């Protein structure tokens, strides 16, 4: 039964309005002050640019960030995605997408960084040579990573631990730049390699190795965000409006990647990312960039924190990390403001 | 109970009712910011100031007439919503479609586009302007657009709903949004006005 009268307010709406107005008045808030979002506290925003196009939304967001009032949008160049965490913690970058695992390891050691939202799920893929038919076959084998503690090393440690291997004892880690790792995988001189876009697209196109894990479709990895939006703690505390506006631009750009993969790929190539348009397009089509509303980023933090805790890579409990280093208020608001 | 305890109890009751009833009655749409003002040229060649539409709920979209893939889908979806709004369309709800290809989309071109998509121009205006005007409006509404090598315009699809007081309330990304949800948002904004 509806309690809405044909004219004017229903009893429920009246009570709700009166109660909210009363609450606002008691706290000295004028209704008009609730209405409009103010300009950002700062017009300068710094993000990181690496060779990985997994973080495509934040590159595509450049123009949208200007629309949000940022007149100075600066991209700090770093050679690998592994350097994103340090840039955020040091304040060299204000807001950025970063991989869940390394982000949580940084938080465990006290990085002044706040996780704000999820961006997209999946994205990295584990490739093996013909000798490797399943993850367990990696025991005693050589796996290339750009460095110990790098995003591929962190994620792969969790993946192998998930099937009962000890990442620090059972795997022969070899540190190599990605380009050399892919060459050695093609020559079967290493046994496995975990690639981030556009590397998986290139490996598949060149028929190098075969896919052991595709985190976009294989559970449990496909159930969690690969990349989260995070901010430097001091920046977020001092600039809440700027933080929300930056997130709005990045999340709009994530939707754009999902809705207009062709245009997004063209944009990335024009921006000088060293990838072919085909690989970029494939990445835009395969990575579920439009799912940021559907998945719960807190689940992602809990899942990866538990997994990292289990393999001894962090000491802090998931609940403590969530309590101390996440801030979902902007995401909650943006989910209501930005429908898809 | 002493006096401070009484005050705390009253505060708690008032707060509880606000939160509980807010949850039970469905939350109203957020108030994002005042919708950026603009004055552009309609399909009939006359200028339209956004302020003239104060008092109506607005849907503002960005399209271009020669677009052959996504824009027609968006315009068709909006035409479907136009029909479902019934007598409220025009009288209480108004659509604005702004071109992102002002060099090509003159008023005459937009008029043909509107007619081809059976837009009821009593409640729907198709707007163009100088490239500088369009660039500024697009920037302020958070639209990215760029002409590509083929001569098409790459752009974000974003539909903004603005309330009767000129406040931007919600934005819909892309063209795959649920038209029922948008219709519900229109109705919610119309009910808000009635409740004032």
């Amino acid at each position: 039964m509806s309690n809405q009268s044909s004219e004017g307010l229903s009893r429920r709406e009246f009570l709700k309005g009166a109660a909210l107005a009363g609450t606002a008045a008691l706290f000295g808030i004028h209704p008009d002050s609730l209405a409009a979002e103010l300009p950002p506290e700062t017009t300068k925003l710094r993000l990181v640019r690496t060779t990985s196009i997994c973080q495509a939304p934040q590159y595509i967001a450049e123009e949208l960030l200007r629309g949000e009032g940022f007149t100075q949008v600066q991209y700090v160049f770093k050679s690998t995605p592994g350097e994103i965490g340090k840039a955020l913690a040091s304040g060299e970058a204000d807001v950025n997408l970063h991989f869940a695992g390394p982000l949580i390891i940084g938080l465990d050691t006290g990085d002044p960084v706040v996780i704000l939202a999820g961006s997209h799920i999946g994205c990295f893929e584990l490739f093996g040579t013909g000798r490797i038919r399943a993850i367990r076959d990696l025991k005693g084998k050589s796996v290339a990573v750009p460095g110990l503690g790098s995003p591929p090393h962190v994620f792969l440690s969790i993946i192998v631990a998930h099937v009962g291997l000890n990442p620090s004892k059972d795997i022969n880690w070899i540190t190599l730049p990605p380009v050399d790792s892919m060459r050695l995988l093609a020559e079967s001189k290493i046994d496995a390699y975990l690639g981030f876009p556009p590397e998986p697209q290139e490996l598949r196109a060149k028929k190098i190795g075969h896919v052991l894990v595709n985190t976009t479709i294989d559970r449990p990895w496909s159930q969690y965000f690969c990349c989260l939006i995070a901010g430097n703690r001091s920046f977020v505390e001092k600039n809440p409006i700027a933080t929300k506006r930056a997130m709005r631009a990045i999340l709009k750009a994530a939707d754009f990647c999902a809705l207009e993969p062709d245009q997004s790929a063209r944009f990335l190539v024009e921006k000088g990312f060293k990838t072919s348009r085909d690989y970029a397009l494939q990445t835009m089509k395969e990575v579920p960039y439009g799912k940021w509303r559907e998945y719960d980023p807190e689940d992602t933090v809990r899942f990866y924190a538990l997994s990292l805790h289990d393999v001894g890579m962090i000491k802090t409990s998931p609940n403590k990390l969530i309590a101390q280093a996440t801030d979902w208020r902007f995401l909650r608001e943006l989910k209501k403001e930005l429908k898809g | 109970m002493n006096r401070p305890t009484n005050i705390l109890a009253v505060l708690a009751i008032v707060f509880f009712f606000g939160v509980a009833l807010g949850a039970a009655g469905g939350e109203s749409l957020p108030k994002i910011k005042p919708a950026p003002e603009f004055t552009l040229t309609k399909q009939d060649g006359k200028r339209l100031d956004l302020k003239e539409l104060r008092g109506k709920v607005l849907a503002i979209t960005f399209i271009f007439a020669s677009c052959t893939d996504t824009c027609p889908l968006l315009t068709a979806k909006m035409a479907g919503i136009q029909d479902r709004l019934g007598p409220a369309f025009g009288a209480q709800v108004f659509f604005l479609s702004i071109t992102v290809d002002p060099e090509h989309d003159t008023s005459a071109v937009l008029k043909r586009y509107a007619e081809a998509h059976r837009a009821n121009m009593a409640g729907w205006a198709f707007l163009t302007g100088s490239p500088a005007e369009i660039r500024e409006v697009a920037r302020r509404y958070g639209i990215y657009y760029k002409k590509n090598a083929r001569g098409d315009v790459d752009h974000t699809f974003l539909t903004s709903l603005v309330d009767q007081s000129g406040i931007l309330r919600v934005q819909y990304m892309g063209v795959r949004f649920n038209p029922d949800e948008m219709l519900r948002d229109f109705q919610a904004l119309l009910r808000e006005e009635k409740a004032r």
Side-chain angles (χ1 to χ4, degrees):
Chain A
M1 191 177 75
S2 167
N3 64 353
Q4 171 72 55
S5 60
S6 58
E7 293 291 325
L9 283 172
S10 68
R11 185 168 166 273
R12 171 173 285 188
E13 281 175 330
F14 172 79
L15 284 170
K16 174 184 162 188
L20 288 172
T23 308
L26 281 166
F27 287 100
I29 303 166
H30 188 272
D32 285 349
S33 69
L34 299 170
E37 186 177 287
L38 297 166
E41 300 88 345
T42 172
T43 54
K44 184 176 171 184
L45 189 76
R46 293 161 309 165
L47 306 102
V48 177
R49 176 170 164 168
T50 72
T51 50
S52 170
I53 57 169
C54 192
Q55 289 92 359
Q58 72 180 49
Y59 307 130
I60 288 169
E62 186 174 352
E63 287 306 314
L64 302 177
L65 286 166
R66 294 188 206 287
E68 290 290 347
F70 297 102
T71 52
Q72 295 179 70
V73 180
Q74 297 174 356
Y75 289 90
V76 184
F77 282 79
K78 297 287 174 192
S79 53
T80 65
E83 294 171 78
I84 295 171
K86 210 176 279 178
L88 274 172
S90 68
E92 199 181 353
D94 302 314
V95 172
N96 218 81
L97 300 192
H98 194 21
F99 301 112
L103 194 51
I104 290 167
I105 288 179
L107 292 171
D108 181 62
T109 56
D111 278 357
V113 170
V114 183
I115 301 175
L116 303 163
S119 168
H120 53 275
I121 57 165
C123 94
F124 52 93
E125 293 177 42
L126 176 62
F127 287 77
T129 59
R131 296 191 292 271
I132 310 296
R133 303 314 306 168
I135 301 167
R136 284 191 67 82
D137 297 341
L138 289 174
K139 186 167 183 174
K141 298 292 193 300
S142 299
V143 178
V145 291
L148 297 180
S150 64
H153 175 248
V154 172
F155 281 122
L156 200 40
S157 295
I158 298 170
I159 289 172
V160 299
H162 193 69
V163 296
L165 300 183
N166 182 333
S168 48
K169 290 180 183 164
D170 293 336
I171 305 292
N172 177 27
W173 300 105
I174 296 170
T175 56
L176 286 169
V179 64
D180 293 331
S181 302
M182 292 200 285
R183 180 176 50 80
L184 292 178
L185 187 74
E187 295 167 4
S188 292
K189 289 181 178 165
I190 57 168
D191 296 289
Y193 178 68
L194 187 81
F196 286 81
E199 293 160 3
Q201 288 70 26
E202 186 178 341
L203 290 169
R204 275 190 266 128
K206 292 181 177 170
K207 300 192 185 326
I208 298 173
H210 65 101
V211 178
L212 289 167
V213 178
N214 179 341
T215 57
T216 302
I217 51 178
D218 294 333
R219 286 169 178 259
W221 325 106
S222 61
Q223 304 302 296
Y224 304 101
F225 286 110
C226 136
C227 276
L228 298 161
I229 303 179
N232 172 274
R233 181 177 287 281
S234 167
F235 180 87
V236 173
E237 284 172 0
K238 285 185 198 152
N239 308 291
I241 299 167
T243 302
K244 183 179 168 187
R245 283 174 172 264
M247 287 174 66
R248 182 187 290 130
I250 292 169
L251 293 171
K252 269 185 190 174
D255 280 333
F256 186 67
C257 291
L259 296 164
E260 303 294 338
D262 199 52
Q263 295 181 23
S264 303
R266 197 158 46 232
F267 181 91
L268 290 170
V269 173
E270 283 171 7
K271 278 282 171 186
F273 282 89
K274 285 181 184 165
T275 179
S276 77
R277 199 181 148 273
D278 286 349
Y279 297 155
L281 178 59
Q282 226 177 313
T283 304
M284 296 303 106
K285 284 184 171 172
E286 289 172 359
V287 177
Y289 283 110
K291 304 272 188 189
W292 60 268
R293 298 174 186 81
E294 294 169 33
Y295 289 70
D296 184 351
E298 194 165 300
D299 286 346
T300 297
V301 177
R302 187 172 287 108
F303 171 77
Y304 278 111
L306 271 172
S307 305
L308 290 165
H309 198 269
D310 285 351
V311 295
M313 291 178 111
I314 66 167
K315 291 188 175 71
T316 316
S317 74
N319 285 345
K320 195 172 172 189
L321 277 172
I322 289 166
Q324 291 180 346
T326 63
D327 185 347
W328 310 128
R329 64 195 149 127
F330 306 112
L331 176 65
R332 277 197 292 269
E333 290 175 14
L334 288 168
K335 274 186 178 176
K336 290 183 205 159
E337 293 174 15
L338 201 56
K339 298 186 179 183
Chain B
M1 261 194 303
N2 59 25
R3 200 156 171 250
T5 316
N6 279 336
I7 292 168
L8 279 176
V10 170
L11 273 175
I13 290 165
V14 168
F15 186 75
F16 169 78
F17 267 86
V19 172
L21 289 166
E27 289 179 38
S28 66
L29 292 169
K31 292 182 176 178
I32 303 173
K33 62 182 178 183
E37 297 289 348
F38 57 78
T39 305
L40 293 170
T41 306
K42 289 193 290 180
Q43 72 280 351
D44 59 6
K46 292 178 185 159
R47 297 287 277 178
L48 175 77
D49 187 333
L50 187 70
K51 285 195 202 87
E52 293 169 32
L53 296 172
R54 203 53 58 80
K56 295 182 192 226
V57 175
L58 310 179
I60 302 173
T61 68
F62 290 79
I63 49 106
F64 65 102
S66 57
C67 172
T68 51
D69 43 33
T70 315
C71 307
L73 300 178
L74 178 60
T75 306
K77 199 165 223 173
M78 296 306 290
I81 294 170
Q82 156 195 274
D83 297 342
R84 293 173 67 188
L85 280 162
F89 187 76
Q92 295 169 284
V93 178
F94 207 93
F95 292 176
L96 296 168
S97 292
I98 301 171
T99 182
V100 286
D101 188 8
E103 290 93 346
H104 177 261
D105 289 348
T106 60
S107 295
V109 169
L110 289 177
K111 188 164 186 284
R112 282 198 298 276
Y113 180 84
E115 286 165 352
H117 286 84
R118 54 175 199 83
N120 174 0
M121 280 172 267
W124 197 340
F126 290 76
L127 303 172
T128 188
S130 69
E133 284 173 329
I134 295 295
R135 196 162 41 245
E136 184 58 13
V137 174
R139 186 188 67 78
R140 296 176 75 193
Y141 276 86
I143 301 293
Y144 159 79
Y145 74 100
K146 190 181 176 204
K147 210 156 209 173
N148 63 36
R150 294 198 311 267
D152 286 341
V153 184
D154 291 347
H155 69 107
T156 41
F157 287 90
L158 187 71
T159 303
S160 303
L161 300 199
V162 176
D163 71 14
Q164 296 90 332
S165 306
I167 303 292
L168 178 62
R169 300 297 295 270
V170 65
Q171 294 186 301
Y172 283 81
M173 281 298 296
V175 298
R176 293 180 210 153
F177 59 82
N178 181 352
D180 293 341
E181 188 175 6
M182 185 178 277
L183 202 62
R184 278 196 297 275
D185 286 346
F186 278 125
Q187 287 159 349
L189 292 175
L190 291 173
R191 275 199 305 274
E192 269 184 23
E193 180 63 14
K194 223 183 226 184
R196 269 184 208 151

